[in-house]
Amino acid sequence: MIPRKPAVEALKMTMAALLLVGCNQPFDPKGPFEEQLVVYSILSSARDVQFVRVFSNYDLQGFDPFQYTTDRPITGAQVVLTGPDGSYSFKDTLLPRPDTSRYKSPMFVYVAPVQVQPGQTYTLVVNSGRLGSTSATITVPGKTRIDIYPGTYILNEPWEPSIDRIIYLVASVSPWTKGHYGRMVIDYVVLTDSVWKEERIEVPTRISGSEFRTAEYPTLELARYYTASVAYLQSAYVATLNKVYTQYTDTKLIFKRAVLQFLQVEHNLYDYYNIVHGFRDPISIRIDEPDYHNLSNGYGVFGASTLDSLVHHYPDNFGRNRK
């Protein structure tokens, strides 16, 4: 049925009125603000003290979050961590802030002496009072076994001639691990002003010649199998030793040990890391801004990591020692 002309004109006028009303309403890209609880805590097996940070979010007058230079910690919160050995109550304290480019005040944190056990489950409960409470449960990745292939002799005699020799860091992966990261560092001591000073340098996986600006280093990777490996070119290992050796030409130098480390993170920490780093994609531009949290209320993340190491001590007659 074709509507009569007066009905069509009335419909046009109604739609025009609706458009005018819609155009008069202000557009706010930020949307309504709701104050929420924000909690961050990453348990680590590598230390015997654990930390929890408790905040509230904030609303900006403009659109630049870096214009806000005042931290908003929540004081007086009840923070309890429950694990296989019982419950631990966290106490508040102030810690020096390593980066004061934005926030100037010391960091307000909750701390407790807890030695996290790999492979165990922990529950964090935070009661902030005014903003309510939140909780989360995680399982810490289990311990790993680290091996070096073809053997530790290649660390002692890396100058032996060979073609495309590769040093492999090989480690087992825990069932509770979603991401892992392996690296090799070299510890040495150098005599400076009659005092032996301890220093450390990381070994790149590969390098073009001796130009360290071209050096490549391991990154956090998705766990796909029950074993993982990191491949180091022999030339990159030798270049690292030579860099230290040529840096200290007029003083005594002793290489102490090579440390092979393997870090495992559970799925909450891995997912949060990828969200924060934009899925580590240098090409694509995300129009949306996804968020990740595993707390029952509010924002933030409760995660865990396990760090294991294989230590190889250099012999006294190591080829780059200068005694």
Side-chain angles (χ1 to χ4, degrees), residues 284-299:
S284 302
I285 299 177
R286 295 190 65 95
I287 298 178
D288 63 331
E289 294 186 3
D291 194 10
Y292 179 86
H293 64 87
N294 62 324
L295 300 163
S296 62
N297 172 40
Y299 299 99

Side-chain angles (χ1 to χ4, degrees), residues 269-285:
L269 181 52
Y270 180 84
D271 291 342
Y272 181 83
Y273 179 88
N274 278 288
I275 289 290
V276 171
H277 289 79
F279 298 93
R280 293 177 287 174
D281 185 351
I283 300 176
S284 302
I285 299 177

Side-chain angles (χ1 to χ4, degrees), residues 12-51:
K12 290 181 178 179
M13 293 178 63
T14 301
M15 295 192 65
L18 290 173
L19 287 173
L20 288 174
V21 173
C23 291
N24 289 332
Q25 295 202 1
F27 172 69
D28 184 4
K30 295 192 298 182
F33 171 73
E34 180 182 0
E35 192 173 13
Q36 296 279 345
L37 189 62
V38 183
V39 175
Y40 292 103
S41 180
I42 306 300
L43 304 182
S44 173
S45 67
R47 59 176 185 262
D48 55 8
V49 175
Q50 308 302 324
F51 304 89

Side-chain angles (χ1 to χ4, degrees), residues 26-291:
F27 172 69
D28 184 4
K30 295 192 298 182
F33 171 73
E34 180 182 0
E35 192 173 13
Q36 296 279 345
L37 189 62
V38 183
V39 175
Y40 292 103
S41 180
I42 306 300
L43 304 182
S44 173
S45 67
R47 59 176 185 262
D48 55 8
V49 175
Q50 308 302 324
F51 304 89
V52 178
R53 302 199 69 190
V54 184
F55 305 88
S56 64
N57 58 343
Y58 53 87
D59 192 17
L60 288 174
Q61 296 300 320
F63 299 97
D64 181 11
F66 293 100
Q67 73 182 23
Y68 198 94
T69 58
T70 302
D71 212 353
R72 294 194 63 182
I74 293 180
T75 61
Q78 294 179 343
V79 180
V80 178
L81 180 70
T82 302
D85 296 328
S87 297
Y88 304 88
S89 295
F90 283 63
K91 306 298 182 181
D92 57 71
T93 188
L94 293 175
L95 296 179
R97 190 181 297 274
D99 183 2
T100 57
S101 58
R102 180 179 178 185
Y103 300 115
K104 309 300 182 183
S105 61
M107 294 187 298
F108 185 90
V109 300
Y110 294 88
V111 300
V114 183
Q115 182 65 64
V116 173
Q117 299 183 25
Q120 298 298 323
T121 300
Y122 292 84
T123 298
L124 177 68
V125 178
V126 177
N127 190 335
S128 68
R130 180 173 58 87
L131 294 179
S133 62
T134 188
S135 63
T137 300
I138 59 170
T139 299
V140 182
K143 290 184 66 64
T144 185
R145 175 180 175 180
I146 304 175
D147 294 304
I148 184 168
Y149 181 84
T152 56
Y153 72 90
I154 196 173
L155 299 179
N156 295 336
E157 299 293 340
W159 302 278
E160 292 184 0
S162 66
I163 300 176
D164 296 331
R165 177 178 287 184
I166 299 178
I167 306 170
Y168 288 98
L169 182 163
V170 182
S172 58
V173 178
S174 165
W176 301 284
T177 297
K178 188 170 183 179
H180 51 70
Y181 164 75
R183 72 169 189 160
M184 183 194 309
V185 296
I186 296 175
D187 293 332
Y188 58 93
V189 292
V190 58
L191 189 63
T192 304
D193 297 330
S194 302
V195 177
W196 287 101
K197 181 181 178 182
E198 296 185 0
E199 295 186 358
R200 165 174 285 190
I201 186 172
E202 182 174 357
V203 180
T205 55
R206 60 182 62 244
I207 188 175
S208 298
S210 59
E211 294 293 329
F212 269 76
R213 59 183 177 82
T214 66
E216 299 178 17
Y217 296 89
T219 58
L220 186 68
E221 297 183 358
L222 177 66
R224 294 183 174 89
Y225 310 102
Y226 287 111
T227 59
S229 64
V230 181
Y232 292 88
L233 292 183
Q234 176 193 14
S235 56
Y237 175 64
V238 172
T240 306
L241 295 171
N242 291 340
K243 180 182 180 181
V244 177
Y245 187 80
T246 55
Q247 180 179 354
Y248 299 104
T249 56
D250 299 326
T251 187
K252 294 182 179 181
L253 172 69
I254 299 177
F255 287 87
K256 303 295 290 184
R257 55 193 165 266
V259 183
L260 285 76
Q261 299 177 328
F262 192 70
L263 178 74
Q264 301 179 87
V265 302
E266 47 80 48
H267 70 93
N268 295 291
L269 181 52
Y270 180 84
D271 291 342
Y272 181 83
Y273 179 88
N274 278 288
I275 289 290
V276 171
H277 289 79
F279 298 93
R280 293 177 287 174
D281 185 351
I283 300 176
S284 302
I285 299 177
R286 295 190 65 95
I287 298 178
D288 63 331
E289 294 186 3
D291 194 10

